[in-house]
C-alpha cells in the first residue's frame, strides 16, 4: 500500500481501491479474463460528507480510470504476445488473452457506512461481474484498506447529517398505502422459502405476518421461526427478511424473537438510526414486547405492518 500524508480521504484514494479491487476480482474463462463491472463503495460518514455533493463527478472519474486500466491491460497483453512470438520466430502472432467486462457499462455507487462498521480512513469495496442475480462465482472481492488517521481529526458530524439521499425515482413513503391483506388473497411471500401450496402438510406454521412495501413493491413475509433478523442484508450479513430500501435501514436492523412456551414476541433494535413500535422507540440493543398488531418503523423510512397469528 502506497503511504500518503495523514488527512481525510481524497478522490484518488477511492480510485486506487477500485482499481485494486478490479485486479483482485479477475475471473478467467477460456481465452478471456472477465473483470467486475459493478462497484459499491462504503465510507465512514465523516469521510463521506466531503464527497456528498460531487458523487456523480467522482463516479465518472472512477469509470474513466476503469476504462483506462482495461484499455492498458489489453494493449500491454497484445504487445507482449506479439513481441515474444516475433523473437521466437513463431510466425503470425496468435490472439492474446483479452480482458473484458460482461456488462455494457460500469456501475459505480458510493454510500456512507450507516452500520458503524468502518473507522475513519477505511474504504470498503464490494464488486461483482454484473451477471444476472449477482452470481457468487467469480464475483470479485471485498476489500478494506486502512489509511493513517489525521493527528488531530476534526469532530465527527452528528449522525443525523449522514442520512443518505434517496435514490431517484424511489418514494420514501410507500407504506402509507398498505392495507391489511384479505384472508382470501394469496400473499406474495418475500424472501421466505418456497412452499408447495398443493401440500399444506409440508407448509411450516406461520406464527405472524409482516406486510410491507419496499423498492420491489408490496409483499407479505410469514414468520415461521422463533428468531429472525430483518435488514438490508449483504454478502457478509445474513438476514431472514431482506429489504430493498434506503441505506438508512441497517444491513442488520432488528431481531424478532418468539418465546416458544408463551408465544409472545419481542423485538431488539440493532440499527444505527433506530427502530420504533407504534411510534415508541425501542432503544439501541434493547428488547421490547411486540403487540398482536402494530407498526414497526425502521429508521423512519420504512414501515412494517406486524400481525401475530
Amino acid at each position: 500500500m502506497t503511504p500518503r500524508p495523514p488527512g481525510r480521504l481524497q478522490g484518488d484514494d477511492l480510485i486506487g481501491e477500485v482499481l485494486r479491487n478490479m485486479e483482485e476480482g479477475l475471473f478467467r474463462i477460456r481465452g478471456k479474463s472477465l473483470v467486475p463491472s459493478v462497484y459499491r463503495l462504503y465510507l465512514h460518514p465523516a469521510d463521506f460528507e466531503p464527497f456528498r455533493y460531487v458523487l456523480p463527478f467522482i463516479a465518472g472519474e472512477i469509470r474513466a480510470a476503469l476504462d483506462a486500466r482495461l484499455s492498458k491491460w489489453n494493449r500491454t497483453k497484445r504487445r507482449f504476445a506479439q513481441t515474444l512470438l516475433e523473437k521466437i520466430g513463431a510466425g503470425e502472432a496468435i490472439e492474446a488473452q483479452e480482458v473484458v467486462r460482461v456488462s455494457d457499462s460500469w456501475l459505480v455507487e458510493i454510500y456512507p457506512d450507516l452500520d458503524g462498521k468502518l473507522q475513519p480512513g477505511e474504504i470498503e469495496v464490494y464488486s461483482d461481474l454484473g451477471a444476472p442475480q449477482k452470481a457468487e462465482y467469480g464475483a470479485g472481492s471485498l476489500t478494506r484498506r486502512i489509511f493513517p488517521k489525521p493527528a488531530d481529526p476534526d469532530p465527527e458530524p452528528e449522525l443525523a447529517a449522514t442520512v443518505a439521499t434517496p435514490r431517484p425515482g424511489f418514494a420514501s413513503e410507500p407504506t402509507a398505502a398498505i392495507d391489511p391483506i384479505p384472508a382470501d388473497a394469496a400473499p406474495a411471500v418475500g424472501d421466505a422459502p418456497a412452499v408447495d401450496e398443493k401440500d399444506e402438510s409440508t407448509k411450516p406454521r406461520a406464527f405472524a405476518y409482516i406486510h410491507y412495501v419496499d423498492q420491489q413493491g408490496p409483499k407479505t413475509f410469514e414468520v415461521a421461526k422463533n428468531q429472525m433478523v430483518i435488514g438490508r442484508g449483504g454478502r457478509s450479513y445474513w438476514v431472514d427478511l431482506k429489504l430493498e430500501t434506503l441505506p438508512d435501514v441497517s444491513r442488520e436492523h432488528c431481531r424478532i424473537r418468539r418465546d416458544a412456551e408463551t408465544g409472545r414476541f419481542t423485538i431488539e433494535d440493532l440499527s444505527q438510526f433506530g427502530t420504533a413500535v407504534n411510534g415508541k422507540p425501542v432503544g439501541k440493543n434493547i428488547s421490547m414486547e411486540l403487540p398482536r398488531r402494530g407498526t414497526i418503523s425502521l429508521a423512519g423510512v420504512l414501515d412494517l405492518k406486524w400481525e401475530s397469528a
Side-chain angles (χ1 to χ4, degrees), residues 156-179:
E156 293 186 15
E158 295 292 334
L159 287 177
T162 66
V163 177
T165 304
R167 297 182 184 178
F170 173 64
S172 61
E173 300 179 349
T175 54
I178 301 179
D179 294 320

Side-chain angles (χ1 to χ4, degrees), residues 20-29 32-36 39 70 73 77 97-100 127 129 138-141:
R20 193 194 314 274
N21 188 280
M22 176 192 192
E23 183 171 357
E24 293 176 353
L26 280 173
F27 177 70
R28 293 175 175 82
I29 178 171
K32 297 182 183 297
S33 292
L34 307 183
V35 296
Y39 298 87
L70 186 64
W73 277 350
K77 285 177 178 293
Q97 188 177 58
E98 185 181 8
V99 184
V100 298
S127 65
L129 296 176
S141 60

Side-chain angles (χ1 to χ4, degrees), residues 17-18 20-21 24 123-126 141-145:
E17 290 311 311
V18 169
R20 193 194 314 274
N21 188 280
E24 293 176 353
I123 304 174
E124 197 171 56
V125 183
Y126 289 88
S141 60
L142 162 64
T143 61
R144 176 177 292 180
R145 309 293 176 189

Side-chain angles (χ1 to χ4, degrees), residues 95-144:
E95 187 69 20
Q97 188 177 58
E98 185 181 8
V99 184
V100 298
R101 66 169 185 248
V102 177
S103 300
D104 294 334
S105 59
W106 308 106
L107 174 61
V108 178
E109 298 175 338
I110 306 171
Y111 300 109
D113 169 41
L114 302 180
D115 296 334
K117 306 293 184 182
L118 300 180
Q119 297 298 319
E122 291 184 345
I123 304 174
E124 197 171 56
V125 183
Y126 289 88
S127 65
D128 62 58
L129 296 176
Q133 304 302 319
K134 293 186 179 179
E136 291 296 323
Y137 62 89
S141 60
L142 162 64
T143 61
R144 176 177 292 180

Side-chain angles (χ1 to χ4, degrees), residues 50-61:
F51 298 117
R52 176 183 292 276
Y53 300 108
V54 291
L55 291 180
F57 176 79
I58 295 175
E61 291 299 302

Side-chain angles (χ1 to χ4, degrees), residues 15-91:
I15 292 176
E17 290 311 311
V18 169
L19 294 178
R20 193 194 314 274
N21 188 280
M22 176 192 192
E23 183 171 357
E24 293 176 353
L26 280 173
F27 177 70
R28 293 175 175 82
I29 178 171
R30 294 173 66 87
K32 297 182 183 297
S33 292
L34 307 183
V35 296
S37 59
V38 177
Y39 298 87
R40 294 182 174 88
L41 291 76
Y42 290 88
L43 311 176
H44 185 275
D47 292 325
F48 177 81
E49 280 304 310
F51 298 117
R52 176 183 292 276
Y53 300 108
V54 291
L55 291 180
F57 176 79
I58 295 175
E61 291 299 302
I62 293 176
R63 289 193 293 269
L66 289 167
D67 280 331
R69 178 61 57 88
L70 186 64
S71 177
K72 178 181 178 181
W73 277 350
N74 284 319
R75 287 198 309 270
T76 301
K77 285 177 178 293
R78 283 193 292 269
R79 185 166 59 250
F80 175 79
Q82 179 71 33
T83 302
L84 179 62
L85 290 170
E86 288 177 353
K87 285 183 177 181
I88 64 176

Side-chain angles (χ1 to χ4, degrees), residues 116-232:
K117 306 293 184 182
L118 300 180
Q119 297 298 319
E122 291 184 345
I123 304 174
E124 197 171 56
V125 183
Y126 289 88
S127 65
D128 62 58
L129 296 176
Q133 304 302 319
K134 293 186 179 179
E136 291 296 323
Y137 62 89
S141 60
L142 162 64
T143 61
R144 176 177 292 180
R145 309 293 176 189
I146 302 177
F147 292 102
K149 297 181 181 178
D152 296 310
D154 295 330
E156 293 186 15
E158 295 292 334
L159 287 177
T162 66
V163 177
T165 304
R167 297 182 184 178
F170 173 64
S172 61
E173 300 179 349
T175 54
I178 301 179
D179 294 320
I181 294 183
D184 58 347
V189 180
D191 290 353
V195 178
D196 186 356
E197 297 181 356
K198 296 181 180 179
D199 186 0
E200 292 294 329
S201 63
T202 64
K203 186 175 181 179
R205 175 191 172 190
F207 301 125
Y209 300 92
I210 299 176
H211 313 302
Y212 64 97
V213 175
D214 64 2
Q215 289 178 340
Q216 294 184 348
K219 295 180 182 178
T220 294
F221 182 89
E222 295 186 356
V223 180
K225 297 166 58 178
N226 286 329
Q227 179 172 300
M228 62 173 293
V229 177
I230 301 173
R232 289 187 296 113

